[in-house]
Amino acid sequence: QELLVETGGGSVQAGGSLRLSCTATRKTDNMNCMAWLRQAPGKEREEVASIDTTSGETWYNDSVKGRFAVSQDNAKLTVYLQMNDLKPEDTAMYYCAAGASCYAFVDEGQGTQVTVSS
């Protein structure tokens, strides 16, 4: 069984919104930091946002600051990525990742596709 399961991807027009969810099927010791990564065709994978699950401190890639928001529901072992004002350049496969710190992720989900049309 997959540890991390992402849902919520889809196709939207530019300016639209989507909320991604990442639910852990069990608690592990490598969940101090949860993050969202993305990879567009022909491009390197990049980190979009992360959250320290203990302190709640968040980090955002400059390209999404002010548009995306990462949050968590520890009781549900779920992390969310609210994406507003989506742009065509946000089109990518989005992956949830987990790690003991935000510097090294050891688990990753299967991904969910986000497609933004102009």
Side-chain angles (χ1 to χ4, degrees):
Q1 185 181 23
E2 290 292 328
L3 174 63
L4 302 173
V5 180
E6 305 100 332
T7 57
S11 298
V12 295
Q13 291 190 325
S17 298
L18 285 173
R19 188 175 82 155
L20 306 183
S21 298
C22 169
T23 299
T25 55
R26 63 189 183 277
K27 188 77 166 72
T28 74
D29 291 335
N30 291 313
M31 288 180 177
N32 294 332
C33 183
M34 301 290 291
W36 288 96
L37 316 176
R38 69 184 179 186
Q39 187 164 20
K43 294 188 177 181
E44 292 188 357
R45 186 167 295 192
E46 65 175 354
E47 188 172 345
V48 176
S50 65
I51 184 166
D52 183 305
T53 59
T54 300
S55 68
E57 183 176 353
T58 58
W59 173 89
Y60 296 96
N61 188 304
D62 285 345
S63 65
V64 305
K65 279 182 181 177
R67 300 188 297 122
F68 290 12
V70 59
S71 61
Q72 61 180 343
D73 184 334
N74 287 339
K76 295 182 179 179
L77 298 182
T78 298
V79 174
Y80 304 97
L81 185 67
Q82 178 66 44
M83 305 186 294
N84 299 323
D85 189 24
L86 282 160
K87 303 177 180 182
E89 52 263 42
D90 294 318
T91 295
M93 184 70 80
Y94 284 70
Y95 300 88
C96 177
S101 77
C102 288
Y103 298 100
F105 300 113
V106 297
D107 293 298
E108 192 173 290
Q110 297 273 30
T112 185
Q113 178 67 38
V114 171
T115 302
V116 185
S117 59
S118 58

